[in-house]
Amino acid sequence: MRRRRDPAPHLPHGAGGEFHDGFPLGNGSLGAMLHGRPGLEWIDLNADTFWSGGPLASSAGEARQPAGPLLSAAGPAVEVLPALRQAVADGDHATADLLARQLQGDAWTQSFQPLGRLEWAYADDHDVTGYHRHLDLADALAETDYVTASGPVRLTAFVSAPDGVLVVSATGPGSLAAAVPPVLHTPHPATTGVVDAGAGPCLLWTGHAPAHVLPNYVDRSPAVDYTTAGMGFAVAAAVRHTAAETRLIVAAATGFRGPDAPFADLATVAGEALARVTRALAVPMAKLLQRHVADHRALFDRADLALPGADRAELLFHLGRYLLIASSRPGTQPANLQGIWNADVRPGWCGNWTTNINAQMNYWAAEPTGLPELHEPLLTLTRELAVSGVPTAARYYSARGAAVHHNTDLWRFTAPVPGDPQWANWPSALLWLSAHVWDHLEFGAFADAAFAREVALPVLRAAAEFTLDMLVPDPSGALVVSPSTSPEHQFLTAAGGHAVSWGCALDQELAREVLTRLLVLLDRWPDATFATFATFAALAAEATAALAALRPVQTGPDGALLEWHDDRPPREPGHRHLSHLYGLFPGTRITESSTDYAAARRALRTRLAHGTGHTGWSRAWVLCLAARLRDPELAEQSLTALVEELCSASLLTLHPDAGRPSGWIFQIDGNLGIPAGITELLVQSHAGAVSLLPALPSAWPTGHIRGIRCRGGHRVDVSWTGGRLATARIVAGTTGPLTVELPPSAPVTVHAPDATIVPGAPPDRRRIRWQAHKAATYLVS
């Protein structure tokens, strides 16, 4: 299925519905949310680099705000950190939480800003019949169709990456000559002008973002500050009539020139927007459309999924990949909490990159579903945070390396924000982000030595050095991360809920992962690749010793994997975060042969029994965990819950928000996490083998998946019928042994002369291995 028809197509004429009911279009930098209104279209516009605030004033990754009393020149770590660690060791959790608040900064991240809502009266909206709208995912086109007394009307829209513009084409009676110029309703101080754009006028709006915006959850005035000018923006729009159509071309530009660079002047920004419109006006509509479709399909067509009879699951897979293509391209900013679509000056959670799960989930599907270059914006962000987080590590923890806390923004903010320690005092974000750097290497078969040298090594070094300085011995002598919190969750004591401890499961998993991967990276290439290899010898020895003493994640009396250092009652048994299950997914430590596999299953069941998965992103995480646990029934339940309870009319995933009329807010992470979970049900590659159909749902008896990338650089196509493997086509990514894990239910033929059955398969599976040659194709039938 390629075309998504609106599940609730009969919107009241003249009503735009909720923001999250619109259709999102984008090219990674320009976002447009279309509402499908007959005659008077609403288009919410965004630019990926349009944020409040500006380059950071301090070296500790804090926003431009006055320093508070706790932020002395030397930082709070020297006085506060030893006392905090001692309180944790003494079990004095109340004191630990109080001291953790003293280990916070006094600033928040800045906010992703809307450019404004464009209103375009393009046609008659009286006596409308036959209304419907749809979004073509394969061609990235939004269409609205209806009929008036004068005849049929069609509106077609797309955002072109090759031409950098929004194109809206309207056709209908009399070529819709009654269409008028659009109006931009921007929340920011702005001016409107008319300039020549070649063969006619062009509207030009220019203005500035706020100099500072407080998060939507902070109740303080002024929440939005324009006393000094923030970043400049420009929106240019031109309407042209022909006998065949009325066309609207829109472009936007901002003053952003880098997280440390001064803003470009407003005249330059306006010139950029105007130039894009002028160039696009000179191109015939057919050519604009052809270039756009070819560019989009070059990415979208790399992978395919067909699930006859399971249309919604198939649709969610395609929609997730479509949204990643639309919101993340090489050279753009990463997809944030809402991708690149937001209508609020104070968006939910600043519309930032929340790095304790959400930013990472956005990219879980990038490598396996054939979109590795779309991963680049997150990898670039990670490399830059490994630099901006260096003074943060020193200031707050007296540590080497780099510290990044639970959220960041366009300006590469890394400091701990003021607030509850359960979310503010978690400095391990760089460790988690480094996993994406590693995945990029693994799925590419470690073929890119330049990426390893210029990105992976600096990131893993910064993460490993910080990890080593955060480790302390617990009473048993084992090394644990201290201080440590489990993101956004608390444990209970007789005195109430507390957050700060040591050795929480997520931190221990990340510490082991980072140190192990640094050692593998240093061992994989000769000295010539890393010119300063000798300088890493001491770090490698330190990492080796720490790994030997690192405390494993523990199992509780009920057999469930523990979230904290020891068995502690959770404040929210159904908490939305599943941080203690990181080792199962997205991590790779816990496999079916691991002693923690059953403990992870029990921990997830306990969470589910108390209601976890009540947000779009949380339920998408459950889907991924279900795939790793080979639990197709739970996966099907999760997909059903997503569609029926946690998606908007246009299938955008939602998060509860009591402050909004609908009770929900759009968050894109659920949409982007779903394709990863669906892929894991059908192909996995994390346990030393390419595993085919490891958790095939019974509702998907026949189907195929194509273009899946695996660790080791392998590419896989799989088809099945009657619930059984039919054929698999594997293109080897490396020369060497290739292990494939299969269902055991039917005879299998592997078209490789030396294919043999080998031990090590999990229950109810079998493993076959042969000597593969890079780029050779092997058939399993």
Side-chain angles (χ1 to χ4, degrees):
M1 175 180 278
R2 286 294 180 271
R3 177 158 288 181
R4 200 199 72 69
R5 291 201 175 273
D6 184 12
H10 301 294
L11 294 177
H13 301 156
E18 295 283 345
F19 176 80
H20 53 239
D21 293 331
F23 282 152
L25 302 171
N27 62 6
S29 59
L30 176 63
M33 184 72 82
L34 271 75
H35 293 268
R37 293 166 56 91
L40 179 63
E41 181 59 285
W42 286 356
I43 308 172
D44 291 295
L45 295 175
N46 291 95
D48 67 322
T49 56
F50 191 52
W51 289 65
S52 62
L56 301 177
S58 79
S59 60
E62 295 153 18
R64 296 190 293 188
Q65 291 200 102
L70 298 176
L71 296 179
S72 64
V78 173
E79 296 181 0
V80 176
L81 187 62
L84 171 56
R85 282 176 166 160
Q86 188 60 53
V88 168
D90 294 342
D92 186 353
H93 304 300
T95 298
D97 279 4
L98 287 172
L99 289 169
R101 289 182 181 272
Q102 296 182 38
L103 210 63
Q104 296 174 355
D106 62 352
W108 291 270
T109 59
Q110 291 298 321
S111 295
F112 181 51
Q113 292 297 294
L115 293 167
R117 171 168 286 177
L118 202 69
E119 284 191 1
W120 187 36
Y122 65 92
D124 180 16
D125 64 350
H126 299 296
D127 301 319
V128 169
T129 60
Y131 169 86
H132 76 273
R133 60 178 178 140
H134 59 257
L135 178 63
D136 188 325
L137 301 180
D139 288 345
L141 300 173
E143 291 185 349
T144 301
D145 290 280
Y146 62 96
V147 179
T148 70
S150 302
V153 176
R154 167 169 290 181
L155 188 83
T156 303
F158 57 91
V159 176
S160 168
D163 291 287
V165 293
L166 164 68
V167 180
V168 187
S169 171
T171 59
S175 74
L176 302 176
V180 301
V183 176
L184 181 70
H185 299 282
T186 177
H188 312 296
T191 59
T192 305
V194 179
V195 296
D196 181 68
C202 179
L203 286 165
L204 185 65
W205 296 273
T206 56
H208 290 273
H212 182 65
V213 173
L214 287 173
N216 65 312
Y217 49 83
V218 175
D219 184 14
R220 199 178 77 189
S221 294
V224 181
D225 180 12
Y226 287 100
T227 55
T228 58
M231 183 194 312
F233 75 92
V235 175
V239 175
R240 296 291 185 268
H241 298 280
T242 68
E245 66 165 357
T246 296
R247 191 194 318 177
L248 169 67
I249 304 289
V250 182
T254 79
F256 181 74
R257 293 299 180 268
D260 301 316
F263 300 143
D265 65 82
L266 205 55
T268 298
V269 173
E272 291 175 354
L274 182 61
R276 290 189 190 118
V277 169
T278 302
R279 286 193 297 267
L281 286 171
V283 180
M285 177 64 183
K287 187 66 173 179
L288 289 172
L289 179 61
Q290 182 272 328
R291 288 203 292 232
H292 160 71
V293 172
D295 170 81
H296 177 75
R297 277 190 171 273
L299 297 165
F300 188 84
D301 288 349
R302 290 180 187 173
D304 187 35
L305 173 69
L307 298 175
D311 293 348
R312 290 293 175 163
E314 179 185 322
L315 197 52
L316 287 170
F317 176 86
H318 294 306
L319 178 60
R321 296 181 69 251
Y322 163 87
L323 290 170
L324 185 61
I325 295 168
S327 61
S328 183
R329 293 291 191 103
T332 73
Q333 297 301 307
N336 62 43
L337 278 171
Q338 293 184 234
I340 50 170
W341 300 280
N342 162 53
D344 300 316
V345 173
R346 297 182 75 193
W349 306 281
C350 301
N352 62 25
W353 294 288
T354 304
T355 50
N356 60 19
I357 172 61
N358 313 89
Q360 291 90 335
M361 180 180 283
N362 283 356
Y363 288 88
W364 284 352
E367 298 288 341
T369 69
L371 301 172
E373 63 266 61
L374 305 193
H375 210 171
E376 183 267 345
L378 185 72
L379 304 178
T380 298
L381 173 68
T382 301
R383 176 68 182 92
E384 291 171 354
L385 291 173
V387 175
S388 65
V390 169
T392 303
R395 185 178 183 87
Y396 292 96
Y397 303 98
S398 296
R400 297 168 293 168
V404 180
H405 289 80
H406 88 291
N407 58 17
T408 188
D409 60 16
L410 184 71
W411 314 112
R412 300 342 188 209
F413 182 96
T414 60
V417 301
D420 196 305
Q422 72 185 42
W423 39 269
N425 290 88
W426 185 74
S428 303
L430 184 65
L431 281 64
W432 192 333
L433 288 166
S434 74
H436 285 259
V437 172
W438 189 257
D439 280 349
H440 192 65
L441 285 173
E442 277 205 308
F443 278 86
F446 289 86
D448 191 344
F451 178 84
R453 179 178 62 252
E454 296 164 14
V455 179
L457 184 62
V459 167
L460 283 169
R461 177 177 186 172
E465 288 178 337
F466 180 70
T467 297
L468 291 166
D469 286 354
M470 292 293 284
L471 294 173
V472 302
D474 71 0
S476 72
L479 293 179
V480 294
V481 174
S482 180
S484 177
T485 59
S486 191
E488 305 192 28
H489 203 190
Q490 292 183 338
F491 54 89
L492 292 174
T493 69
H498 302 286
V500 183
S501 179
W502 58 7
C504 294
L506 175 59
D507 283 343
Q508 294 300 112
E509 294 280 14
L510 291 171
R512 183 175 299 279
E513 193 174 79
V514 163
L515 297 178
T516 300
R517 288 171 173 176
L518 176 70
L519 292 174
V520 171
L521 189 66
L522 293 176
D523 187 57
R524 194 170 187 98
W525 277 280
D527 296 6
T529 303
F530 299 144
T532 57
F533 186 89
T535 68
F536 288 91
L539 182 61
E542 192 178 355
T544 301
L547 279 169
L550 194 66
R551 187 177 193 262
V553 177
Q554 302 295 298
T555 300
D558 63 350
L561 210 63
L562 293 181
E563 185 168 0
W564 291 280
H565 180 269
D566 48 23
D567 191 26
R568 304 176 184 190
R571 182 164 192 150
E572 297 179 65
H575 191 62
R576 62 195 176 277
H577 283 255
L578 300 158
S579 305
H580 53 317
L581 299 179
Y582 176 93
L584 180 64
F585 189 94
T588 59
R589 182 186 66 81
I590 300 176
T591 66
E592 291 183 77
S593 61
S594 166
T595 56
D596 286 338
Y597 192 69
R601 184 188 298 277
R602 185 175 293 274
L604 179 58
R605 286 178 176 172
T606 299
R607 265 297 209 269
L608 288 165
H610 290 87
T612 196
H614 53 275
T615 74
W617 63 263
S618 181
R619 181 55 69 169
W621 198 350
V622 173
L623 170 66
C624 295
L625 292 166
R628 288 283 173 91
L629 290 171
R630 291 179 57 203
D631 189 340
E633 291 78 15
L634 176 58
E636 288 187 77
Q637 293 168 16
S638 296
L639 287 167
T640 299
L642 281 159
V643 171
E644 296 182 356
E645 304 168 20
L646 298 167
C647 281
S648 72
S650 53
L651 290 186
L652 299 181
T653 50
L654 303 172
H655 189 289
D657 186 344
R660 291 176 180 264
S662 68
W664 299 95
I665 185 173
F666 163 48
Q667 265 192 223
I668 201 171
D669 35 24
N671 283 118
L672 299 184
I674 290 169
I678 290 175
T679 300
E680 290 277 330
L681 291 169
L682 304 174
V683 180
Q684 296 179 17
S685 63
H686 63 283
V690 174
S691 181
L692 307 180
L693 305 183
L696 181 66
S698 60
W700 305 352
T702 300
H704 77 254
I705 191 166
R706 174 182 59 77
I708 300 305
R709 299 173 75 244
C710 299
R711 291 174 175 86
H714 314 300
R715 299 194 308 277
V716 177
D717 304 338
V718 184
S719 63
W720 63 95
T721 186
R724 294 185 176 186
L725 176 71
T727 61
R729 177 179 178 272
I730 303 170
V731 179
T734 55
T735 295
L738 174 59
T739 303
V740 176
E741 187 182 286
L742 302 162
S745 55
V748 126
T749 300
V750 178
H751 298 270
D754 59 340
T756 57
I757 297 175
V758 295
D764 301 321
R765 304 284 284 172
R766 56 181 161 172
R767 284 187 168 183
I768 298 175
R769 182 176 299 151
W770 65 90
Q771 186 70 16
H773 297 277
K774 184 176 181 179
T777 299
Y778 300 91
L779 298 178
V780 179
S781 60

